[in-house]
Amino acid sequence: MGDWITSFLLMGALSTGGTLPFWASANQFGLAPESNGVLATASIQKNFNTEQALQYRCGASLAFRADGMGQGLQRCNEVMVDEFYGSLRWKVLVLDVGFKHRELDFYGASTHLGSLSTTGGHLLSGVNARSMPGYNLVCQPVAIPFTKERLWFYGSFGDYKMLDNRYVEGALCHRMSLYLKVCITSWMDFSFGLDHYALWGGLAPGQAMNNSVNFSNYFRVITGRAASASGSQNDQMNVLGDHGGAELLRFDFKGNGWKIVFQHDIPYSDKSGMKFQNFPDGVNTLSFSFNDKKKWVSDVLYEFAYTMYQSGPIHDPEVDEHGNPIPWNPSLCFIGRDDYFNNMEYKSGWTYYGRPMTMPLMFPVGTKAGTWSRHQTCVGFENTRLIAHHIGLSGMLFLKAPYKLMLTFSQNYGSYGKQYAGENPSGKPWGTVKETPLLQFSAAFVGEWPNLAGVKGLNLQYGIYGDIGEVLKNNFALTLGLRYRL
């Protein structure tokens, strides 16, 4: 209980195209190389001691990444702080301070291999980007009085600092979530809730502070109010900062030694999305898993992502009944062309160190052209409208060696503002334009062989990856590494 755990990883990556395929670098907490290279990590952590009333945990992880090892590639060596945190837990309250990984869901046979889901189980808190420094106060599930433990609530409240090179330098991030869980029977639960973020403060190119960092503006951010007269015109007409998030609907079914989960994660960027006017957009996850992971197949997951509608292709109301333009009026509810996780002023959007903090299938600007790089300032997403089918499979080879198979097929349309190909439906009635997608297929088979050469705690990790399609170039890669855990 509360023991220290130390882990070391040394991994190399080599691809046919220089840059690595999609799943070789996606959902790796922003640590994996972009191209041929190596990754080394060292971590130490102490877990909570549940026998104590006031519990603490802490952890630190450093990473060294060297990539660009090939002709014509940009060479780069980096030392990164992956995690550096301390936590306190008292009853149902947990306070995390520092750099800390987000919690994952839909694990397979081994936590070392990551989640089977494209989002890690959380649309807004994916594991595709590095960790931001800050604090997060978590309230774990609490039974609502007089409900006979049928109703539970839980949530979080936190603030973070963004350290990367972005369009608005030094932006702050506020995060808040609230969920309600209904225990329908002993074997079925239903959960729903809201996970919200707001980017605010910071310095835009050639401008004074967009929104000064003070208590008055912070109160406006956490209550979703418009900016004062000193704020930007856009923030005065809407809300202060860049607000967005995800709404969650989830069913859990538990059987004798197995579990089925259905989850609908819905993105939103404005009030129309929060009012479900963007239906049927969302990431739909169906998962089946055995409690006993020592099976050839222990976990199966299917995910269907659809973000095409975005409250419609027309940003109403733009014209009156006579076809005359309507002047902007902040009291009107403008809907349509939501453009998830992008923003007019906070142009880097919901990205960090150039990588999406949502599901990685929403490609950053420059992906198709091959110009995207973490070394450049990210200016948001070029692919927010997509249809994707994803399969995740996990188990134990020979009932002892964990593996994970990921197969992802996506139809990518770009955005309402800039279509990848064909006619753009923006401003035209929904369903009247036959759109042209760019097709993409990405696959990964990763695994580990435990106790290599009879050495306890020494695991061989490997990965085989491939891309075929019209957005990412055709590519194939291998990774090989050693992980030693004490």
Side-chain angles (χ1 to χ4, degrees), residues 12-180:
L14 182 65
S15 73
T16 58
T19 57
L20 296 184
F22 178 74
W23 281 122
S25 58
N27 284 2
Q28 308 288 328
F29 293 103
L31 301 179
E34 293 176 19
S35 52
N36 299 339
V38 297
L39 173 67
T41 66
S43 67
I44 183 170
Q45 63 179 356
K46 180 186 182 299
N47 292 323
F48 288 126
N49 186 341
T50 57
E51 297 176 354
Q52 298 176 343
L54 181 63
Q55 306 161 29
Y56 78 94
R57 68 182 175 191
C58 56
S61 175
L62 293 177
F64 170 76
R65 173 174 57 196
D67 58 3
M69 298 179 180
Q71 187 175 3
L73 300 175
Q74 183 176 355
R75 296 291 297 270
C76 183
N77 298 336
E78 293 179 272
V79 175
M80 300 167 287
V81 176
D82 178 33
E83 289 192 286
F84 188 73
Y85 67 91
S87 305
L88 289 176
R89 180 165 70 185
W90 180 70
K91 295 186 177 180
V92 298
L93 297 178
V94 178
L95 176 64
D96 297 318
V97 179
F99 299 80
K100 190 177 184 305
H101 286 171
R102 281 77 67 195
E103 301 294 334
L104 288 177
D105 202 352
F106 302 117
Y107 277 117
S110 171
T111 58
H112 296 159
L113 302 181
S115 173
L116 295 175
S117 167
T118 61
T119 66
H122 307 281
L123 180 59
L124 199 63
S125 303
V127 294
N128 191 52
R130 290 171 59 180
S131 302
M132 294 184 291
Y135 75 90
N136 189 36
L137 179 62
V138 177
C139 177
Q140 297 176 330
V142 176
I144 298 176
F146 310 112
T147 66
K148 299 182 180 180
E149 297 189 346
R150 294 286 188 182
L151 297 180
W152 301 70
F153 75 88
Y154 57 100
S156 64
F157 187 97
D159 290 281
Y160 301 87
K161 174 75 171 178
M162 309 190 91
L163 303 178
D164 59 332
N165 293 324
R166 51 196 303 114
Y167 184 81
V168 177
E169 292 285 348
L172 302 178
C173 176
H174 174 69
R175 289 288 305 274
M176 183 167 54
S177 67
L178 182 63
Y179 296 93
L180 180 67

Side-chain angles (χ1 to χ4, degrees), residues 19 34 364-373 376 382 471-473:
T19 57
E34 293 176 19
V365 171
T367 298
K368 182 180 181 298
T371 59
W372 174 88
S373 171
Q376 301 175 354
E382 68 180 29
V471 181
L472 307 173
K473 66 180 181 180

Side-chain angles (χ1 to χ4, degrees), residues 188-204:
M188 182 170 64
D189 300 333
F190 170 63
S191 304
F192 62 95
L194 182 73
D195 192 355
H196 186 83
Y197 77 86
L199 305 182
W200 67 292
L203 188 65

